[in-house]
Amino acid sequence: DTAVSQTPKYLVTQMGNDKSIKCEQNLGHDTMYWYKQDSKKFLKIMFSYNNKELIINETVPNRFSPKSPDKAHLNLHINSLELGDSAVYFCASSQGRGTSNTGELFFGEGSRLTVL
Amino acid sequence: QKEVEQNSGPLSVPEGAIASLNCTYSDRGSQSFFWYRQYSGKSPELIMSIYSNGDKEDGRFTAQLNKASQYVSLLIRDSQPSDSATYLCALSGTALIFGKGTTLSVSS
């Protein structure tokens, strides 16, 4: 079983559309994250949820809306897609709150979003 | 705002050589540091963590931390072509803050 799984792995869509990415972890972790990795490989934190509570909300356009129905799931919905949203979006999870204890993030395989 | 700086490379070394990857950080209060490896098209995976000043060795990998100078380094001994990847330095806060990564190329 994959520990952190994301779907879909690839999305190709037009500007202005809305899309969602889903993430599930079966590690029993309390905290889940969304990271964005741009074409230059820079991995930047977007959001973090601890046990369904939003704990990190970086400066991200409000077109991006995360939702955590339970602590094993974290979804990302993006409205009115723009060219600059093209990137790989990684979901990750960790035990504990805010990674202050272990620092080990377990990443999903990533979802490559291409906006045309 | 915590920042992590890395030389993006590419760093090219011949097989069998020592690869040295460096990272500096801005927040003097940072306590926990990590090295992740990311193969092209894959997700990052943790290879080393270090919390105290000094060296920490794990197989061919050695992480070095100097909090006074605010730098972290990763040495890879006997480099192999399979070590060719992007290496991401990260420090811990409410989430992991990553540097932009150094691309390592090991030629056979």
PDB file of all heavy atoms in Angstrom, chain A residues 63-90:
ATOM      1  N   ARG A  63      -7.602  31.751  -4.458  1.00  0.00           N
ATOM      2  CA  ARG A  63      -8.139  30.796  -5.435  1.00  0.00           C
ATOM      3  C   ARG A  63      -7.822  29.358  -5.002  1.00  0.00           C
ATOM      4  O   ARG A  63      -8.417  28.409  -5.523  1.00  0.00           O
ATOM      5  CB  ARG A  63      -7.529  31.057  -6.818  1.00  0.00           C
ATOM      6  CG  ARG A  63      -7.815  32.433  -7.395  1.00  0.00           C
ATOM      7  CD  ARG A  63      -7.213  32.602  -8.777  1.00  0.00           C
ATOM      8  NE  ARG A  63      -5.763  32.601  -8.763  1.00  0.00           N
ATOM      9  CZ  ARG A  63      -5.009  31.563  -9.138  1.00  0.00           C
ATOM     10  NH1 ARG A  63      -5.578  30.436  -9.552  1.00  0.00           N
ATOM     11  NH2 ARG A  63      -3.700  31.651  -9.102  1.00  0.00           N
ATOM     12  N   PHE A  64      -6.855  29.224  -4.106  1.00  0.00           N
ATOM     13  CA  PHE A  64      -6.463  27.909  -3.600  1.00  0.00           C
ATOM     14  C   PHE A  64      -7.194  27.654  -2.290  1.00  0.00           C
ATOM     15  O   PHE A  64      -7.075  28.447  -1.351  1.00  0.00           O
ATOM     16  CB  PHE A  64      -4.950  27.854  -3.342  1.00  0.00           C
ATOM     17  CG  PHE A  64      -4.125  27.863  -4.587  1.00  0.00           C
ATOM     18  CD1 PHE A  64      -3.890  29.050  -5.262  1.00  0.00           C
ATOM     19  CD2 PHE A  64      -3.563  26.696  -5.086  1.00  0.00           C
ATOM     20  CE1 PHE A  64      -3.121  29.077  -6.419  1.00  0.00           C
ATOM     21  CE2 PHE A  64      -2.792  26.707  -6.234  1.00  0.00           C
ATOM     22  CZ  PHE A  64      -2.575  27.900  -6.901  1.00  0.00           C
ATOM     23  N   SER A  65      -7.934  26.561  -2.221  1.00  0.00           N
ATOM     24  CA  SER A  65      -8.649  26.274  -0.980  1.00  0.00           C
ATOM     25  C   SER A  65      -8.430  24.820  -0.590  1.00  0.00           C
ATOM     26  O   SER A  65      -8.843  23.904  -1.302  1.00  0.00           O
ATOM     27  CB  SER A  65     -10.139  26.596  -1.103  1.00  0.00           C
ATOM     28  OG  SER A  65     -10.677  25.991  -2.253  1.00  0.00           O
ATOM     29  N   PRO A  66      -7.751  24.617   0.544  1.00  0.00           N
ATOM     30  CA  PRO A  66      -7.568  23.255   1.040  1.00  0.00           C
ATOM     31  C   PRO A  66      -8.784  22.832   1.855  1.00  0.00           C
ATOM     32  O   PRO A  66      -9.492  23.664   2.421  1.00  0.00           O
ATOM     33  CB  PRO A  66      -6.339  23.395   1.940  1.00  0.00           C
ATOM     34  CG  PRO A  66      -6.433  24.801   2.460  1.00  0.00           C
ATOM     35  CD  PRO A  66      -7.114  25.618   1.391  1.00  0.00           C
ATOM     36  N   LYS A  67      -8.985  21.507   1.894  1.00  0.00           N
ATOM     37  CA  LYS A  67     -10.043  20.973   2.746  1.00  0.00           C
ATOM     38  C   LYS A  67      -9.576  19.652   3.316  1.00  0.00           C
ATOM     39  O   LYS A  67      -9.030  18.818   2.598  1.00  0.00           O
ATOM     40  CB  LYS A  67     -11.340  20.771   1.955  1.00  0.00           C
ATOM     41  CG  LYS A  67     -12.157  22.026   1.745  1.00  0.00           C
ATOM     42  CD  LYS A  67     -13.544  21.720   1.215  1.00  0.00           C
ATOM     43  CE  LYS A  67     -14.412  22.964   1.168  1.00  0.00           C
ATOM     44  NZ  LYS A  67     -13.807  24.057   0.408  1.00  0.00           N
ATOM     45  N   SER A  68      -9.822  19.460   4.609  1.00  0.00           N
ATOM     46  CA  SER A  68      -9.438  18.219   5.268  1.00  0.00           C
ATOM     47  C   SER A  68     -10.650  17.616   5.929  1.00  0.00           C
ATOM     48  O   SER A  68     -11.018  17.997   7.044  1.00  0.00           O
ATOM     49  CB  SER A  68      -8.336  18.498   6.302  1.00  0.00           C
ATOM     50  OG  SER A  68      -7.925  17.300   6.925  1.00  0.00           O
ATOM     51  N   PRO A  69     -11.288  16.646   5.279  1.00  0.00           N
ATOM     52  CA  PRO A  69     -12.483  16.049   5.863  1.00  0.00           C
ATOM     53  C   PRO A  69     -12.185  15.199   7.101  1.00  0.00           C
ATOM     54  O   PRO A  69     -13.056  15.046   7.972  1.00  0.00           O
ATOM     55  CB  PRO A  69     -13.041  15.180   4.723  1.00  0.00           C
ATOM     56  CG  PRO A  69     -11.894  14.955   3.799  1.00  0.00           C
ATOM     57  CD  PRO A  69     -10.989  16.127   3.934  1.00  0.00           C
ATOM     58  N   ASP A  70     -11.000  14.633   7.169  1.00  0.00           N
ATOM     59  CA  ASP A  70     -10.542  13.896   8.345  1.00  0.00           C
ATOM     60  C   ASP A  70      -9.018  13.904   8.309  1.00  0.00           C
ATOM     61  O   ASP A  70      -8.420  14.351   7.328  1.00  0.00           O
ATOM     62  CB  ASP A  70     -11.103  12.465   8.375  1.00  0.00           C
ATOM     63  CG  ASP A  70     -10.772  11.674   7.130  1.00  0.00           C
ATOM     64  OD1 ASP A  70      -9.564  11.491   6.859  1.00  0.00           O
ATOM     65  OD2 ASP A  70     -11.699  11.273   6.415  1.00  0.00           O
ATOM     66  N   LYS A  71      -8.392  13.407   9.356  1.00  0.00           N
ATOM     67  CA  LYS A  71      -6.942  13.600   9.437  1.00  0.00           C
ATOM     68  C   LYS A  71      -6.163  12.766   8.433  1.00  0.00           C
ATOM     69  O   LYS A  71      -4.977  12.958   8.252  1.00  0.00           O
ATOM     70  CB  LYS A  71      -6.435  13.362  10.863  1.00  0.00           C
ATOM     71  CG  LYS A  71      -6.335  11.933  11.301  1.00  0.00           C
ATOM     72  CD  LYS A  71      -5.626  11.883  12.657  1.00  0.00           C
ATOM     73  CE  LYS A  71      -5.219  10.468  12.997  1.00  0.00           C
ATOM     74  NZ  LYS A  71      -4.438  10.397  14.246  1.00  0.00           N
ATOM     75  N   ALA A  72      -6.828  11.837   7.759  1.00  0.00           N
ATOM     76  CA  ALA A  72      -6.137  11.030   6.750  1.00  0.00           C
ATOM     77  C   ALA A  72      -6.255  11.598   5.343  1.00  0.00           C
ATOM     78  O   ALA A  72      -5.633  11.088   4.411  1.00  0.00           O
ATOM     79  CB  ALA A  72      -6.670   9.600   6.772  1.00  0.00           C
ATOM     80  N   HIS A  73      -7.033  12.640   5.185  1.00  0.00           N
ATOM     81  CA  HIS A  73      -7.282  13.191   3.853  1.00  0.00           C
ATOM     82  C   HIS A  73      -7.074  14.695   3.825  1.00  0.00           C
ATOM     83  O   HIS A  73      -7.478  15.409   4.755  1.00  0.00           O
ATOM     84  CB  HIS A  73      -8.720  12.888   3.403  1.00  0.00           C
ATOM     85  CG  HIS A  73      -9.004  11.437   3.210  1.00  0.00           C
ATOM     86  ND1 HIS A  73      -9.377  10.607   4.254  1.00  0.00           N
ATOM     87  CD2 HIS A  73      -8.950  10.660   2.101  1.00  0.00           C
ATOM     88  CE1 HIS A  73      -9.533   9.376   3.786  1.00  0.00           C
ATOM     89  NE2 HIS A  73      -9.286   9.376   2.497  1.00  0.00           N
ATOM     90  N   LEU A  74      -6.447  15.144   2.746  1.00  0.00           N
ATOM     91  CA  LEU A  74      -6.281  16.585   2.533  1.00  0.00           C
ATOM     92  C   LEU A  74      -6.404  16.844   1.035  1.00  0.00           C
ATOM     93  O   LEU A  74      -5.648  16.277   0.245  1.00  0.00           O
ATOM     94  CB  LEU A  74      -4.922  17.066   3.035  1.00  0.00           C
ATOM     95  CG  LEU A  74      -4.627  18.560   2.859  1.00  0.00           C
ATOM     96  CD1 LEU A  74      -5.641  19.414   3.606  1.00  0.00           C
ATOM     97  CD2 LEU A  74      -3.212  18.888   3.318  1.00  0.00           C
ATOM     98  N   ASN A  75      -7.366  17.662   0.676  1.00  0.00           N
ATOM     99  CA  ASN A  75      -7.615  17.959  -0.735  1.00  0.00           C
ATOM    100  C   ASN A  75      -7.264  19.402  -1.022  1.00  0.00           C
ATOM    101  O   ASN A  75      -7.218  20.247  -0.115  1.00  0.00           O
ATOM    102  CB  ASN A  75      -9.078  17.677  -1.079  1.00  0.00           C
ATOM    103  CG  ASN A  75      -9.476  16.247  -0.735  1.00  0.00           C
ATOM    104  OD1 ASN A  75      -8.693  15.321  -0.909  1.00  0.00           O
ATOM    105  ND2 ASN A  75     -10.687  16.070  -0.231  1.00  0.00           N
ATOM    106  N   LEU A  76      -7.000  19.671  -2.286  1.00  0.00           N
ATOM    107  CA  LEU A  76      -6.671  21.035  -2.715  1.00  0.00           C
ATOM    108  C   LEU A  76      -7.526  21.371  -3.923  1.00  0.00           C
ATOM    109  O   LEU A  76      -7.470  20.676  -4.943  1.00  0.00           O
ATOM    110  CB  LEU A  76      -5.187  21.141  -3.069  1.00  0.00           C
ATOM    111  CG  LEU A  76      -4.679  22.516  -3.480  1.00  0.00           C
ATOM    112  CD1 LEU A  76      -4.767  23.498  -2.308  1.00  0.00           C
ATOM    113  CD2 LEU A  76      -3.235  22.423  -3.988  1.00  0.00           C
ATOM    114  N   HIS A  77      -8.305  22.438  -3.794  1.00  0.00           N
ATOM    115  CA  HIS A  77      -9.137  22.891  -4.904  1.00  0.00           C
ATOM    116  C   HIS A  77      -8.579  24.219  -5.402  1.00  0.00           C
ATOM    117  O   HIS A  77      -8.245  25.094  -4.591  1.00  0.00           O
ATOM    118  CB  HIS A  77     -10.591  23.063  -4.454  1.00  0.00           C
ATOM    119  CG  HIS A  77     -11.507  23.371  -5.586  1.00  0.00           C
ATOM    120  ND1 HIS A  77     -11.901  22.417  -6.502  1.00  0.00           N
ATOM    121  CD2 HIS A  77     -12.079  24.539  -5.979  1.00  0.00           C
ATOM    122  CE1 HIS A  77     -12.696  22.984  -7.409  1.00  0.00           C
ATOM    123  NE2 HIS A  77     -12.807  24.261  -7.113  1.00  0.00           N
ATOM    124  N   ILE A  78      -8.478  24.346  -6.703  1.00  0.00           N
ATOM    125  CA  ILE A  78      -7.933  25.577  -7.287  1.00  0.00           C
ATOM    126  C   ILE A  78      -8.964  26.141  -8.268  1.00  0.00           C
ATOM    127  O   ILE A  78      -9.370  25.456  -9.212  1.00  0.00           O
ATOM    128  CB  ILE A  78      -6.613  25.329  -8.039  1.00  0.00           C
ATOM    129  CG1 ILE A  78      -5.672  24.425  -7.227  1.00  0.00           C
ATOM    130  CG2 ILE A  78      -5.923  26.667  -8.333  1.00  0.00           C
ATOM    131  CD1 ILE A  78      -4.453  23.939  -7.996  1.00  0.00           C
ATOM    132  N   ASN A  79      -9.368  27.367  -8.019  1.00  0.00           N
ATOM    133  CA  ASN A  79     -10.336  28.043  -8.895  1.00  0.00           C
ATOM    134  C   ASN A  79      -9.604  28.925  -9.909  1.00  0.00           C
ATOM    135  O   ASN A  79      -8.493  29.398  -9.666  1.00  0.00           O
ATOM    136  CB  ASN A  79     -11.262  28.949  -8.063  1.00  0.00           C
ATOM    137  CG  ASN A  79     -12.220  28.165  -7.217  1.00  0.00           C
ATOM    138  OD1 ASN A  79     -12.683  27.102  -7.601  1.00  0.00           O
ATOM    139  ND2 ASN A  79     -12.519  28.695  -6.038  1.00  0.00           N
ATOM    140  N   SER A  80     -10.254  29.149 -11.020  1.00  0.00           N
ATOM    141  CA  SER A  80      -9.785  30.129 -12.027  1.00  0.00           C
ATOM    142  C   SER A  80      -8.286  29.987 -12.290  1.00  0.00           C
ATOM    143  O   SER A  80      -7.496  30.919 -12.083  1.00  0.00           O
ATOM    144  CB  SER A  80     -10.076  31.557 -11.528  1.00  0.00           C
ATOM    145  OG  SER A  80     -11.444  31.710 -11.265  1.00  0.00           O
ATOM    146  N   LEU A  81      -7.894  28.831 -12.746  1.00  0.00           N
ATOM    147  CA  LEU A  81      -6.471  28.519 -12.927  1.00  0.00           C
ATOM    148  C   LEU A  81      -5.775  29.526 -13.832  1.00  0.00           C
ATOM    149  O   LEU A  81      -6.329  29.997 -14.830  1.00  0.00           O
ATOM    150  CB  LEU A  81      -6.327  27.105 -13.483  1.00  0.00           C
ATOM    151  CG  LEU A  81      -6.435  26.026 -12.410  1.00  0.00           C
ATOM    152  CD1 LEU A  81      -6.861  24.699 -13.004  1.00  0.00           C
ATOM    153  CD2 LEU A  81      -5.112  25.898 -11.671  1.00  0.00           C
ATOM    154  N   GLU A  82      -4.524  29.835 -13.463  1.00  0.00           N
ATOM    155  CA  GLU A  82      -3.678  30.754 -14.216  1.00  0.00           C
ATOM    156  C   GLU A  82      -2.420  30.020 -14.681  1.00  0.00           C
ATOM    157  O   GLU A  82      -2.047  28.984 -14.129  1.00  0.00           O
ATOM    158  CB  GLU A  82      -3.299  31.948 -13.333  1.00  0.00           C
ATOM    159  CG  GLU A  82      -4.480  32.745 -12.839  1.00  0.00           C
ATOM    160  CD  GLU A  82      -4.076  33.885 -11.921  1.00  0.00           C
ATOM    161  OE1 GLU A  82      -2.867  34.033 -11.625  1.00  0.00           O
ATOM    162  OE2 GLU A  82      -4.982  34.645 -11.489  1.00  0.00           O
ATOM    163  N   LEU A  83      -1.758  30.602 -15.698  1.00  0.00           N
ATOM    164  CA  LEU A  83      -0.542  29.975 -16.226  1.00  0.00           C
ATOM    165  C   LEU A  83       0.487  29.732 -15.122  1.00  0.00           C
ATOM    166  O   LEU A  83       1.154  28.694 -15.101  1.00  0.00           O
ATOM    167  CB  LEU A  83       0.081  30.859 -17.314  1.00  0.00           C
ATOM    168  CG  LEU A  83      -0.719  31.030 -18.607  1.00  0.00           C
ATOM    169  CD1 LEU A  83       0.002  32.005 -19.542  1.00  0.00           C
ATOM    170  CD2 LEU A  83      -0.918  29.682 -19.298  1.00  0.00           C
ATOM    171  N   GLY A  84       0.605  30.690 -14.191  1.00  0.00           N
ATOM    172  CA  GLY A  84       1.593  30.588 -13.129  1.00  0.00           C
ATOM    173  C   GLY A  84       1.308  29.497 -12.106  1.00  0.00           C
ATOM    174  O   GLY A  84       2.147  29.211 -11.243  1.00  0.00           O
ATOM    175  N   ASP A  85       0.140  28.883 -12.206  1.00  0.00           N
ATOM    176  CA  ASP A  85      -0.177  27.789 -11.286  1.00  0.00           C
ATOM    177  C   ASP A  85       0.449  26.481 -11.753  1.00  0.00           C
ATOM    178  O   ASP A  85       0.442  25.491 -11.015  1.00  0.00           O
ATOM    179  CB  ASP A  85      -1.702  27.607 -11.191  1.00  0.00           C
ATOM    180  CG  ASP A  85      -2.398  28.823 -10.625  1.00  0.00           C
ATOM    181  OD1 ASP A  85      -1.757  29.571  -9.842  1.00  0.00           O
ATOM    182  OD2 ASP A  85      -3.574  29.057 -10.971  1.00  0.00           O
ATOM    183  N   SER A  86       0.980  26.464 -12.954  1.00  0.00           N
ATOM    184  CA  SER A  86       1.636  25.247 -13.458  1.00  0.00           C
ATOM    185  C   SER A  86       2.816  24.898 -12.560  1.00  0.00           C
ATOM    186  O   SER A  86       3.721  25.710 -12.352  1.00  0.00           O
ATOM    187  CB  SER A  86       2.124  25.459 -14.899  1.00  0.00           C
ATOM    188  OG  SER A  86       1.039  25.660 -15.769  1.00  0.00           O
ATOM    189  N   ALA A  87       2.804  23.694 -12.042  1.00  0.00           N
ATOM    190  CA  ALA A  87       3.820  23.254 -11.079  1.00  0.00           C
ATOM    191  C   ALA A  87       3.515  21.805 -10.710  1.00  0.00           C
ATOM    192  O   ALA A  87       2.529  21.231 -11.171  1.00  0.00           O
ATOM    193  CB  ALA A  87       3.784  24.122  -9.819  1.00  0.00           C
ATOM    194  N   VAL A  88       4.388  21.255  -9.868  1.00  0.00           N
ATOM    195  CA  VAL A  88       4.087  19.957  -9.265  1.00  0.00           C
ATOM    196  C   VAL A  88       3.647  20.227  -7.829  1.00  0.00           C
ATOM    197  O   VAL A  88       4.331  20.941  -7.080  1.00  0.00           O
ATOM    198  CB  VAL A  88       5.300  19.013  -9.266  1.00  0.00           C
ATOM    199  CG1 VAL A  88       4.924  17.680  -8.622  1.00  0.00           C
ATOM    200  CG2 VAL A  88       5.804  18.796 -10.687  1.00  0.00           C
ATOM    201  N   TYR A  89       2.507  19.697  -7.455  1.00  0.00           N
ATOM    202  CA  TYR A  89       1.969  19.876  -6.113  1.00  0.00           C
ATOM    203  C   TYR A  89       2.177  18.573  -5.347  1.00  0.00           C
ATOM    204  O   TYR A  89       1.737  17.500  -5.770  1.00  0.00           O
ATOM    205  CB  TYR A  89       0.484  20.258  -6.180  1.00  0.00           C
ATOM    206  CG  TYR A  89       0.300  21.637  -6.774  1.00  0.00           C
ATOM    207  CD1 TYR A  89       0.248  21.814  -8.157  1.00  0.00           C
ATOM    208  CD2 TYR A  89       0.215  22.765  -5.960  1.00  0.00           C
ATOM    209  CE1 TYR A  89       0.120  23.075  -8.710  1.00  0.00           C
ATOM    210  CE2 TYR A  89       0.081  24.027  -6.501  1.00  0.00           C
ATOM    211  CZ  TYR A  89       0.038  24.177  -7.874  1.00  0.00           C
ATOM    212  OH  TYR A  89      -0.081  25.436  -8.419  1.00  0.00           O
ATOM    213  N   PHE A  90       2.877  18.699  -4.218  1.00  0.00           N
ATOM    214  CA  PHE A  90       3.160  17.536  -3.386  1.00  0.00           C
ATOM    215  C   PHE A  90       2.342  17.601  -2.110  1.00  0.00           C
ATOM    216  O   PHE A  90       2.322  18.619  -1.409  1.00  0.00           O
ATOM    217  CB  PHE A  90       4.640  17.477  -2.996  1.00  0.00           C
ATOM    218  CG  PHE A  90       5.548  17.010  -4.088  1.00  0.00           C
ATOM    219  CD1 PHE A  90       6.300  17.907  -4.822  1.00  0.00           C
ATOM    220  CD2 PHE A  90       5.672  15.651  -4.368  1.00  0.00           C
ATOM    221  CE1 PHE A  90       7.151  17.482  -5.820  1.00  0.00           C
ATOM    222  CE2 PHE A  90       6.524  15.214  -5.369  1.00  0.00           C
ATOM    223  CZ  PHE A  90       7.257  16.129  -6.101  1.00  0.00           C
TER     224      PHE A  90
END
